[in-house]
Amino acid sequence: QVQLQESGPGLVKPSETLSLICTVSGDSISSGHYWGWIRQPPGKGLEWIGSIYHSGSTYYNPSLKSRVTMSADTIKNQFSLKMTSVTAADTAVYYCARDRITSAAQNWFDPWGQGTLVTVSS
Amino acid sequence: SYELTQPPSVSVSPGQTASITCSGNKLGDKYTSWYQQKAGQAPVLVIYQDTKRPSGIPERFSGSNSGNTATLTISGTQPLDEADYFCQAWDSSTAVFGGGTKLTVL
């Protein structure tokens, strides 16, 4: 059974960098899938942030691309998210998920981690 | 940028059929996925590739996609199906989510 677990600070100051790690168990991040980050502001909908392949290949949401960097650590079976210059608008629950991107230009997210709330406040 | 539009809310009586729509330009030319999110929980995939159900998802969940609209149908809706539902598609190397539909079973 594949499980994902997000970890990282729950509070980040404005203008600083948000850093999260997703630890995967039950599957290898080198298994041929992409791995993604999705966020959800309190009471709002889902927003895709980006997805990464174990080789380092990435897809990013164009609206966040200038502030986001994702990386993968195949030894630790983890992938990570860094988002710079955060503001209160970046306050959200951040989820990591396995991203089943296929060659037919389609994808779906399954399974998801439980999510971690990150609050941006001084 | 590509947009997916969902009705904010849908209501259904227990045992009846609920239909939740997701609209986007030529959405039928893409594959749509659907996610169920119960209060305080992470989303769960219920439909992928328009019509496929992951293992463990009840048969009462089905999907279709044609023209500009994808539809999630829940037959014989149960109170435990009350949740937010999000559609999602892939366009121009970007994953896009609909705004979500709150399904109320009453």
Side-chain angles (χ1 to χ4, degrees):
Chain A
Q1 179 182 352
V2 181
Q3 293 184 316
L4 297 90
Q5 179 68 58
E6 306 86 351
S7 60
L11 181 64
V12 181
K13 289 182 168 56
S15 80
E16 295 191 345
T17 296
L18 177 160
S19 297
L20 295 174
I21 291 174
C22 182
T23 301
V24 180
S25 59
D27 192 7
S28 167
I29 67 167
S30 301
S31 63
H33 302 300
Y34 274 75
W35 302 88
W37 289 97
I38 303 101
R39 70 180 182 178
Q40 184 173 35
K44 297 188 177 180
L46 301 169
E47 180 180 33
W48 173 70
I49 300 170
S51 298
I52 186 167
Y53 196 65
H54 65 85
S55 63
S57 174
T58 54
Y59 293 102
Y60 291 139
N61 185 325
S63 68
L64 299 171
K65 185 175 183 177
S66 64
R67 299 194 292 127
V68 168
T69 303
M70 296 178 62
S71 60
D73 185 332
T74 57
I75 303 299
K76 294 183 178 179
N77 214 35
Q78 297 174 334
F79 61 102
S80 66
L81 168 70
K82 291 188 185 298
M83 182 180 293
T84 61
S85 304
V86 297
T87 69
D90 295 310
T91 294
V93 175
Y94 286 75
Y95 296 99
C96 58
R98 185 171 61 182
D99 187 354
R100 310 293 290 270
I101 296 175
T102 74
S103 59
Q106 58 169 301
N107 79 312
W108 60 93
F109 299 99
D110 179 55
W112 297 55
Q114 65 183 29
T116 186
L117 175 63
V118 178
T119 301
V120 178
S121 175
S122 56
Chain B
S1 62
Y2 195 75
E3 294 185 357
L4 294 174
T5 301
Q6 298 181 236
S9 63
V10 168
S11 296
V12 64
S13 299
Q16 298 303 302
T17 297
S19 295
I20 300 173
T21 59
C22 174
S23 299
N25 186 41
K26 297 183 179 179
L27 183 57
D29 293 343
K30 309 179 191 299
Y31 283 106
T32 300
S33 304
W34 290 91
Y35 304 87
Q36 176 194 67
Q37 185 179 36
K38 296 184 178 180
Q41 298 182 20
V44 172
L45 178 71
V46 294
I47 294 289
Y48 66 102
Q49 290 184 321
D50 293 340
T51 62
K52 298 181 179 179
R53 278 180 295 104
S55 173
I57 300 302
E59 291 185 7
R60 64 179 181 274
F61 288 87
S62 63
S64 63
N65 186 12
S66 179
N68 294 321
T69 304
T71 303
L72 173 68
T73 302
I74 309 173
S75 304
T77 306
Q78 300 183 8
L80 58 83
D81 298 327
E82 185 162 288
D84 292 327
Y85 290 85
F86 296 90
C87 60
Q88 181 255 313
W90 182 258
D91 176 79
S92 300
S93 301
T94 301
V96 180
F97 286 94
T101 298
K102 180 175 182 59
L103 177 67
T104 301
V105 183
L106 43 68

